[in-house]
Amino acid sequence: MASAPYRLEASWSAEGGEHGAFTFTFTNLSQAPLSGFKLAYTSLYRVIIPEACDNAVFLRRNANFHQYAPPEGLVLAPGESWRFTVSGIHRPARHCTDGAKSAYITLEDGTHADVAVSDLLLSGRVSEPPPVLLPQGKLDLPFALQPWPAKIDAVPGEGFPVVLYAAEGAELEERRAISEVTALLHRLIPSAHAPFSLVADPQGRILHLSKEEGLGTEAYRLRFEANAVHLAYGGAAGRQYGLTSLAQLLEGARARPQTFRFPTSGTIEDSPRYGWRGCHLDVSRQFFPVEDVNRLLDIMAWLKLNTFHWHLTDDEAWRLEIKAYPTLTTTGVLRGPDEPLLPQLGNGAASVGGFYAQDDVRAIVAHAAALSIEVVPEIDIPGHNAATLVALPDLVDGQEAPDSYHSVQGYPNNALNPAIEATYSFLEAVIDEMVTLFPSDYIHIGGDEVAHGAWMASPLAKALMEKEGISGTFALQSYFLKRVKAMLDQRGKKLAGWNEVAHGGGVAPENSLLMAWENPKVGIALAEEGYDVVMTPGQAYYLDMVQAEAFQEPGASWAGTVPPAHTYAYEAEGDFPETLKHRMKGVQACIWTEHFLSRGYFNRLVFPRLPAIAEAAWTPKAQKNWERFAAIVPLCPQL
């Protein structure tokens, strides 16, 4: 693929403005002179003072989209550059991914051409390279188990069996489970030798499976003998987890025999620490095709995670097909220079889209179910709906000024208006279709980051507040969410949401589960109010956060620096009083994708922190060991 004929490079200096300044250099690498063009780039570091730029004319901004014109009459000959400075940004840059994520130019004839971009450079200071984040590690027991089990008293052997084969008389469901875990390993590590067989092999060991009523649904017990392995399980999930542990043990011993062994005697007794062991994926900011979603589900199963929180809608796109409102996945997903939604977060001259047809959703949900994973879908409401409102303009109060408020991400008027009755008809139809697609008890309705002052310039909202005797954005949000919860109650679904659902009076705690993301103390406060809680604080479990303070380390930094060692050591129960611990249902990793422009960035930021959270979700605190984890986690498959 040929490189772009234009390039944009940027550096940031602490000098030049309250939050420093970007210096952009645009170079014409084409064979022809360039004039009469406009330059657009996307960046999470937004311009908030348009006039604070030098040698350029600021044209417009929409969230992360910025557009400029060069000085009048500028002509760039081949090889020449145009340099301009922007100082009115909303916060100081801290890392190399804080500059432009993509760029394009609009030529005089109205066509568009991509512009290559480079990582942000640091001016006036030393730009430190990323440090090594994972030590070599140290093993007390040479077993390749992820996550580490609750109890292990096993003796490593000198060799390993060629295969573990099902005992004669194994039930059909047990044989199917053996086949499914074998297929899981082959999907994750295609070159791996099959760990199991349904046919006896003299070089293998016999595998006895038995269901044991005293074990929990997700629990299992392994007993190793010289010529046999016994797996007792409490339910289908426990059987899968036990087989997965055996596959890990055998694959580790095969792949790295100098480090790992297979047990020759002893036991493993295992069950999860928490019932909710989640991983979230934002597919609105960046679209992930079905095969990538399924691959992530496979990795989750390998790590014994059991809840996939699927963030399907946001300002940048609505990704779930709703047959009653087809424009959601036509108008509401297309981003591009000439599309209803402007480029954002890495988009350039080409239009981009992508959504999940309902048949795709059914297939993904079925794939997850076969791996003992529950899919919890999220439509983020009432905020984060810029794409929705472009697709469904009838849901806007036409009397409200179009820029009367802005979200924290910079989107104007991006919240569904609680005073427009058609909003509720829309949501009823959406929920009705979701109920047929997702068997989960929960539907996640977002509820986060509604801008302070949202709806306050809407005459319809003002009339509703007067009628209901309420005032302010968050009281109005509470009114809205209570109506949405009633819709879910009527359909036998429970409400899940982010911690802001409790604002302004919130919704009834009964059949509600909230995710504490803003900081760890929020979870305790929610539990005190009677809510069930999943802990997912940005300061430990947001996998888009940078892993080191070095400037060349990629990622976001608003929640601080989150190295893998911190993610691993973090204890989500924290200061939960004993009387409230029953309210904490578990923990969850969150993969927000503003920075995930490539598979390489995904794997660099998600691993090894996702396996670290999986171990926090499964392994008792007393059994956690950072050095042991560091020695084993390089074996974890990646996307």
Side-chain angles (χ1 to χ4, degrees):
M1 183 177 178
S3 61
Y6 313 102
R7 176 167 286 276
L8 181 68
E9 294 173 298
S11 64
W12 178 82
S13 170
E15 308 299 324
E18 182 183 357
H19 299 305
F22 288 129
T23 297
F24 291 101
T25 303
F26 172 80
T27 303
N28 177 15
L29 297 173
S30 75
Q31 300 295 323
L34 185 64
S35 63
F37 64 93
K38 301 171 185 175
L39 171 69
Y41 67 80
T42 68
S43 174
L44 286 161
Y45 280 65
R46 299 185 297 279
V47 170
I48 57 172
I49 307 174
E51 60 273 15
C53 62
D54 181 56
N55 202 35
V57 179
F58 179 89
L59 298 177
R60 57 176 173 158
R61 178 178 71 80
N62 179 271
N64 308 292
F65 171 90
H66 302 73
Q67 190 176 49
Y68 298 84
E72 187 175 354
L74 178 73
V75 178
L76 288 181
E80 289 187 341
S81 299
W82 159 48
R83 178 172 294 180
F84 63 100
T85 302
V86 176
S87 57
I89 53 178
H90 78 301
R91 58 186 173 189
R94 302 185 188 282
H95 296 275
C96 63
T97 47
D98 292 344
K101 294 196 171 298
S102 59
Y104 70 91
I105 59 170
T106 301
L107 301 170
E108 277 188 294
D109 63 2
T111 61
H112 313 287
D114 278 320
V115 174
V117 298
S118 301
D119 276 350
L120 184 66
L121 299 177
L122 181 60
S123 177
R125 297 183 188 176
V126 175
S127 177
E128 308 95 339
V132 174
L133 297 168
L134 198 66
Q136 185 174 354
K138 180 181 177 182
L139 292 169
D140 293 325
L141 289 172
F143 300 130
L145 288 166
Q146 300 179 78
W148 197 252
K151 295 180 182 179
I152 181 167
D153 182 18
V155 177
E158 288 303 314
F160 51 85
V162 168
V163 75
L164 303 174
Y165 61 88
E168 189 174 343
E171 296 181 358
L172 175 61
E173 289 305 313
E174 293 172 339
R175 291 172 178 266
R176 285 177 172 165
I178 288 171
S179 180
E180 287 169 0
V181 173
T182 302
L184 171 65
L185 175 61
H186 279 155
R187 291 195 301 271
L188 291 172
I189 311 172
S191 62
H193 189 280
F196 304 113
S197 173
L198 301 181
V199 178
D201 188 303
Q203 299 179 71
R205 290 187 200 171
I206 189 169
L207 174 61
H208 298 275
L209 292 93
S210 60
K211 185 171 184 178
E212 191 170 305
E213 295 301 327
L215 293 174
T217 302
E218 296 187 302
Y220 67 92
R221 183 175 62 247
L222 293 169
R223 180 163 55 87
F224 298 92
E225 298 174 351
N227 296 308
V229 176
H230 299 263
L231 167 58
Y233 59 90
R239 179 177 61 206
Q240 174 192 310
Y241 298 148
L243 291 168
T244 301
S245 289
L246 289 171
Q248 290 176 348
L249 287 165
L250 197 47
E251 176 59 20
R254 282 189 180 128
R256 291 174 55 181
Q258 72 279 12
T259 304
F260 298 106
R261 300 285 188 270
F262 192 83
T264 190
S265 63
T267 60
I268 294 175
E269 297 181 49
D270 208 7
S271 59
R273 182 178 182 183
Y274 297 119
W276 186 293
R277 304 183 304 281
C279 179
H280 151 289
L281 179 66
D282 162 21
V283 297
S284 177
R285 275 59 179 263
Q286 311 292 345
F287 181 71
F288 290 75
V290 170
E291 55 268 27
D292 285 355
V293 176
N294 282 337
R295 171 87 179 171
L296 179 61
L297 290 168
D298 286 343
I299 294 167
M300 288 176 59
W302 191 247
L303 297 171
K304 303 182 178 72
L305 295 167
N306 68 349
T307 306
F308 176 51
H309 173 177
W310 200 2
H311 185 85
L312 287 159
T313 73
D314 215 297
D315 291 307
E316 289 78 7
W318 180 291
R319 303 292 190 188
L320 174 64
E321 180 189 22
I322 299 296
K323 293 185 183 296
Y325 293 92
T327 56
L328 290 169
T329 45
T330 54
T331 306
V333 298
L334 286 175
R335 302 200 299 251
D338 300 314
E339 300 295 351
L341 301 173
L342 287 170
Q344 301 285 350
L345 302 170
N347 306 140
S351 296
V352 296
F355 68 94
Y356 303 97
Q358 293 196 359
D359 284 345
D360 295 331
V361 171
R362 292 185 185 96
I364 288 169
V365 169
H367 184 75
L371 298 170
S372 304
I373 294 171
E374 179 179 348
V375 179
V376 176
E378 179 185 355
I379 54 163
D380 200 349
I381 55 175
H384 289 280
N385 272 272
T388 312
L389 294 171
V390 167
L392 302 173
D394 289 347
L395 300 185
V396 173
D397 181 354
Q399 304 171 85
E400 184 180 11
D403 289 333
S404 62
Y405 63 89
H406 288 80
S407 73
V408 68
Q409 287 83 15
Y411 282 95
N413 294 28
N414 71 331
L416 297 176
N417 194 319
I420 296 176
E421 199 59 29
T423 297
Y424 302 100
S425 300
F426 160 65
L427 292 173
E428 293 258 9
V430 169
I431 292 170
D432 281 339
E433 294 193 31
M434 293 180 73
V435 165
T436 69
L437 295 170
F438 298 99
S440 171
D441 288 341
Y442 289 97
I443 289 180
H444 198 294
I445 52 78
D448 63 315
E449 294 186 327
V450 172
H452 290 274
W455 311 306
M456 294 301 99
S458 162
L460 291 176
K462 290 179 179 178
L464 176 62
M465 288 189 288
E466 183 176 352
K467 176 185 174 183
E468 297 294 329
I470 57 178
S471 62
T473 292
F474 296 111
L476 198 52
Q477 174 179 292
S478 176
Y479 167 88
F480 171 89
L481 292 177
K482 285 173 180 175
R483 289 190 62 172
V484 174
K485 179 171 169 56
M487 297 178 197
L488 297 175
D489 290 343
Q490 290 165 8
R491 291 158 178 81
K493 294 291 186 179
K494 298 178 182 179
L495 180 148
W498 302 108
N499 55 246
E500 295 99 318
V501 167
H503 289 180
V507 299
E510 184 181 1
N511 290 330
S512 297
L513 178 142
L514 301 188
M515 296 182 174
W517 69 272
E518 289 185 280
N519 60 66
K521 293 180 180 179
V522 168
I524 298 173
L526 292 172
E528 288 173 342
E529 293 179 42
Y531 290 104
D532 288 340
V533 179
V534 169
M535 295 295 288
T536 179
Q539 296 80 5
Y541 287 171
Y542 270 32
L543 302 188
D544 57 323
M545 291 298 116
V546 291
Q547 299 178 85
E549 294 186 6
F551 189 81
Q552 294 174 35
E553 184 71 27
S557 57
W558 61 263
T561 301
V562 186
H566 172 67
T567 297
Y568 185 84
Y570 174 71
E571 276 296 306
E573 287 186 8
D575 298 320
F576 265 75
E578 201 64 38
T579 55
L580 293 178
K581 285 185 178 178
H582 69 286
R583 290 285 180 202
M584 191 193 141
K585 299 305 179 183
V587 300
Q588 179 171 290
C590 284
I591 303 175
W592 297 103
T593 58
E594 288 94 333
H595 289 278
F596 288 45
L597 303 189
S598 69
R599 185 70 56 93
Y601 270 151
F602 184 100
N603 286 330
R604 178 171 178 155
L605 287 162
V606 170
F607 302 98
R609 292 184 294 183
L610 179 60
I613 296 168
E615 190 146 311
W618 184 278
T619 308
K621 179 181 178 181
Q623 303 304 319
K624 289 170 66 177
N625 182 300
W626 168 243
E627 289 289 333
R628 181 201 63 230
F629 172 83
I632 299 171
V633 76
L635 294 176
C636 184
Q638 298 186 358
L639 196 66

